Structure formats: C-alpha cells, structure tokens
C-alpha cells in the first residue's frame, strides 16, 4: 500500500518546483565555497596545507544543518501543498489505501528527496575540489558522503515535525514560520547544550561520537513521525 502511495506521490511532484529546490541547495552551498576558495585560494591552501580536502569539507559543513532544516521545512510544505492546493485530500483518503500508508509515503518521499540533495552535495563538493587542483588520490570519500547524510540524520526530528504540521494544516504560513524559527535556533543550539535536539544535526558531524547523535536524531524523528501518523489517521483533513 505504501509503495502505491509513494509511486503516486512521485508523479504528483512533477512540475511543482520541488526538484528545483532539491538541486538548488547543494549547488548553492557549493557555489558559496567556490567563491570563498576562488577569492582566497592561496591563503586557504596555505592554511589547510596538510589537509586540503578536510578544510573544504569543514567550510561547507558550517551551513549544512541550516540548509537541511530549511529544506525540510520547504519540502514538507510543498509535498503537503500538492494535496491542499488541489483540494484532493478527500479523494485521496477515499481510496483503498490506509491513512498511515498515505502519511508514511509522504514522509519517505521527503527523506528520499533530501538524500538525493545530500548525495548531490557530496558530488558537487568533490568536483569543486578537483577544479581547484586538490589531489584526486586524497579524496576522503567516507567523510564526503557523511557531509550531508550524517547531519540529515540529526535533523530528522525537524523534518518529522514539519511534515506533521504541514499535513494537518491547510494554512502553510504557521508551519513554515515555525520551521524557519527552528532552523535559525539550530544555528545557535550548541551554545545551549549538545543534548538539545536542534544541535544534533551539527553534532552528527563534529562530535567525538557522531553516530550517537545521528542515531538519536533518527530515533526521535521516527517517534515524532509515528505520533504525526496517528494524529493524521484520526483527523478530518479538508
């Protein structure tokens, strides 16, 4: 059932600008570092002489948690907005597909789109390093793949909350505003506590044990997703 709903959702997002957003975020972050390194290449090569690739990744990761939380907010709104704009919730929920399957399909769709964006970020950053003449033999593939995926795991609670709010609310202004507030708060969350959930996206990269924070993010994200699924299953959606 979830597979059928997911296939339908893939078709619905065509021509909605969602793929533009998926590509825009990683390419935008890469362009920022292209400008940064392009203007200060000699200085940065001297500063990171012992680890050029590591220096590039560290410059990119500063912006990744914010981009992920904002991306989760906007993607959730756009995915739910397809049904809200067309007024098709009643028709969709009248189909012989359980409500939990409908909700899970949209959650999986959002996760898959963000994963695509993260993989594109890795590809773009590696390509940027090669353009600047970094040694191809020194590419830290494991770290490059973690660049987006580990912070995404830590940011999963934000995606779950935003999908919940956008799915049950026809007016998208409040969920989107709340998501922006969460993203901005996440930028300063490490000053509060590493245990604060909004800090987990950053800690999933920078902590001595990043897998702990990535795992906590996934666990809390799934718990929030299940709570949202239960609420959606019982709520009348116009």
């Amino acid at each position: 059932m979830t597979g059928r709903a997911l296939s339908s959702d893939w078709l619905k997002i065509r021509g909605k600008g969602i793929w533009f957003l998926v590509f825009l975020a990683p390419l935008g972050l890469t362009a920022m570092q292209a400008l940064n390194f392009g203007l200060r290449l000699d200085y940065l090569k001297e500063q990171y002489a012992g680890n050029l690739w590591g220096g590039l990744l560290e410059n990119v990761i500063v912006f990744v948690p914010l981009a992920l939380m904002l991306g989760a907010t906007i993607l959730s709104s756009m995915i739910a907005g397809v049904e809200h704009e067309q007024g098709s919730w009643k028709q969709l929920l009248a189909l012989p597909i359980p409500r939990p399957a409908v909700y899970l399909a949209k959650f999986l769709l959002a996760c898959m789109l963000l994963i695509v964006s993260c993989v594109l970020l890795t590809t773009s950053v590696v390509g940027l390093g090669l353009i600047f003449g970094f040694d191809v033999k020194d590419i830290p593939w494991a770290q490059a793949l973690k660049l987006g995926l580990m912070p995404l795991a830590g940011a999963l609670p934000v995606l779950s909350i935003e999908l919940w709010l956008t799915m049950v609310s026809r007016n998208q202004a409040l969920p989107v505003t709340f998501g922006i507030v969460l993203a901005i708060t996440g930028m300063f969350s490490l000053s509060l506590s590493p245990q604060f959930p909004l800090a987990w996206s950053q800690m999933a990269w920078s902590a001595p044990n990043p897998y702990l924070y990535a795992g906590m993010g996934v666990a809390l994200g799934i718990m929030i997703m299940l709570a949202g699924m239960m609420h959606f299953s019982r709520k009348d959606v116009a």
Side-chain angles (χ1 to χ4, degrees), residues 133-144:
F134 295 3
D135 193 338
V136 66
K137 297 179 181 179
D138 294 333
I139 298 176
W141 286 110
Q143 288 296 97

Side-chain angles (χ1 to χ4, degrees), residues 103-166:
Y103 191 96
L104 179 59
K106 294 192 182 296
F107 177 77
L108 292 176
L109 176 62
C111 289
M112 292 167 67
L113 291 171
L114 287 172
I115 289 172
V116 169
S117 193
C118 290
V119 172
L120 180 59
L121 176 63
T122 292
T123 305
S124 301
V125 170
V126 170
L128 179 63
L130 294 176
I131 289 173
F132 284 129
F134 295 3
D135 193 338
V136 66
K137 297 179 181 179
D138 294 333
I139 298 176
W141 286 110
Q143 288 296 97
L145 285 172
K146 293 176 183 177
L147 181 65
L149 295 178
M150 291 293 282
L152 173 59
L156 202 62
V158 174
L159 173 62
S160 298
I161 290 173
E162 282 302 304
L163 186 69
W164 182 355
L165 294 177
T166 55

